[in-house]
Amino acid sequence: MPGQPPDPKQRADRLASPANAADTADLTGIAPAFVVTAEYDLLKAEGVAYADRLRTAGALVGHHDVTGADHGYDADDEGKAREVYPLIAEHVRRALTGRKAS
């Protein structure tokens, strides 16, 4: 898979995939996170696992799964990108202003 280390041991490293952190303490102090996964993405399970770990660490502010989409959906599907980008922008805005979700 492009962008992923080819060696399975390297892919399992927490620096390559934070979902593989040894325990939740490894995520302590991490910035608030909004995780976006795509329904058909081969990496979806990893993204969901990461969201679960962040939730446990108290750092998850949201998780959105893009239905009917695969990895890189935003390059191929303008409609899906227009659906998700405002969600991402809102979470960044909240993080920068300290405002809570409405």
Side-chain angles (χ1 to χ4, degrees):
M1 169 147 281
Q4 288 274 32
D7 177 17
K9 285 184 181 180
Q10 288 177 327
R11 282 196 308 270
D13 186 285
R14 70 179 183 82
L15 296 176
S17 174
N20 294 324
D23 59 44
T24 306
D26 288 343
L27 300 174
T28 300
I30 196 167
F34 178 65
V35 176
V36 178
T37 54
E39 182 178 12
Y40 304 126
D41 190 347
L42 293 175
L43 300 173
K44 178 182 176 177
E46 185 175 317
V48 170
Y50 185 43
D52 289 344
R53 304 283 310 267
L54 289 167
R55 185 177 294 108
T56 300
L60 184 71
V61 295
H63 174 207
H64 179 77
D65 189 55
V66 184
T67 57
D70 203 343
H71 194 89
Y73 67 89
D74 55 336
D76 298 328
D77 189 331
E78 184 177 331
K80 295 238 185 264
R82 288 181 182 274
E83 166 193 330
V84 176
Y85 283 14
L87 298 173
I88 296 169
E90 179 58 22
H91 281 83
V92 170
R93 196 174 300 111
R94 283 187 206 147
L96 293 174
T97 63
R99 184 164 71 79
K100 299 290 183 197
S102 48

